[in-house]
């Protein structure tokens, strides 16, 4: 079903099967959300569902590397869809890294987990080197602080305008 592009049918079949079928359900929903879903709000909700199912699967099967991988995948895609400050405040980067490292520890040949961990590291380095777009509310706050400081300086200069004071 999945390879035929019938993602909803694969999702439902995986959920009905339970156990290892949850991995199939998570893969079908995550890939559909990432590549085909047009609504950002729906996409994030789908990744949230995948993350919740993966967490439940981890609780039931802590030794299942694919459960850890799909948790990391869903959290990673969620972090790309929200602001970097929100992702950091939710602790997503550390949770993603921990899930991927666990998947690799459980299945050292898990190629997807290795690629995802490398991508995670590359994105963190990219954010450090190139920065991120600041939140508008944060920029407004700093703008207000700068304006207040400039007004204080203007008041001081104005009050001493005849005293030959240079700032």
């Amino acid at each position: 079903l999945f390879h035929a592009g019938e993602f909803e049918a694969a999702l439902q079949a995986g959920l009905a099967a339970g156990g290892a079928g949850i991995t199939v359900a998570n893969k079908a929903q995550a890939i559909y959300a990432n590549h085909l879903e047009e609504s950002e709000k729906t996409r994030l909700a789908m990744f949230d569902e995948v993350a919740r199912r993966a967490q439940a699967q981890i609780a039931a099967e802590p030794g299942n590397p694919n459960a850890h991988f799909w948790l990391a995948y869903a959290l990673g895609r969620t972090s790309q869809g929200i602001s970097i400050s929100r992702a950091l405040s939710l602790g997503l980067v550390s949770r993603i890294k921990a899930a991927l490292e666990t998947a690799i520890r459980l299945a050292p040949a898990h190629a997807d987990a290795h690629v995802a961990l490398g991508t995670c590291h590359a994105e963190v380095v990219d954010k450090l080197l190139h920065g991120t777009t600041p939140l508008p509310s944060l920029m407004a706050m700093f703008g207000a602080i700068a304006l207040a400081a400039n007004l204080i300086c203007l008041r001081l200069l104005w009050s001493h305008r005849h005293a030959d004071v240079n700032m």
Side-chain angles (χ1 to χ4, degrees):
L1 295 173
F2 175 84
H3 293 288
E6 297 179 30
F7 298 106
E8 179 64 27
L11 168 65
Q12 296 307 322
L15 292 175
I22 299 299
T23 299
V24 173
N26 285 342
K27 181 176 183 176
Q29 186 166 346
I31 298 303
Y32 176 86
N34 192 46
H35 297 288
L36 299 172
E37 179 55 50
E38 294 178 7
S39 165
E40 183 69 17
K41 183 178 179 182
T42 303
R43 182 180 308 121
L44 291 175
M46 293 174 83
F47 287 135
D48 185 57
E49 289 175 10
V50 171
R52 289 178 194 277
R53 276 196 306 269
Q55 287 173 326
Q57 190 178 24
I58 290 167
E61 307 172 56
N64 183 335
N66 288 316
H68 294 277
F69 172 76
W70 287 110
L71 172 61
Y73 185 94
L75 295 177
R77 294 302 182 188
T78 297
S79 72
Q80 290 174 329
I82 62 176
S83 70
I84 189 71
S85 60
R86 181 151 158 62
L88 289 171
S89 71
L90 293 172
L92 293 183
V93 175
S94 59
R95 291 174 61 198
I96 293 164
K97 186 175 179 282
L100 290 171
E101 288 174 344
T102 301
I104 292 168
R105 183 176 44 76
L106 294 170
H110 198 300
D112 289 336
H114 283 283
V115 169
L117 185 59
T119 301
C120 180
H121 287 145
E123 287 191 20
V124 168
V125 169
D126 180 60
K127 297 296 183 213
L128 291 172
L129 291 177
H130 299 105
T132 61
T133 304
L135 294 172
S137 58
L138 190 61
M139 289 303 295
M141 181 185 71
F142 282 113
I145 292 169
L147 178 60
N150 283 324
L151 289 173
I152 291 168
C153 287
L154 178 62
R155 177 153 167 73
L156 287 170
L157 284 170
W158 187 258
S159 66
H160 298 289
R161 68 185 177 275
H162 301 297
D164 193 30
V165 175
N166 297 308
M167 290 184 86

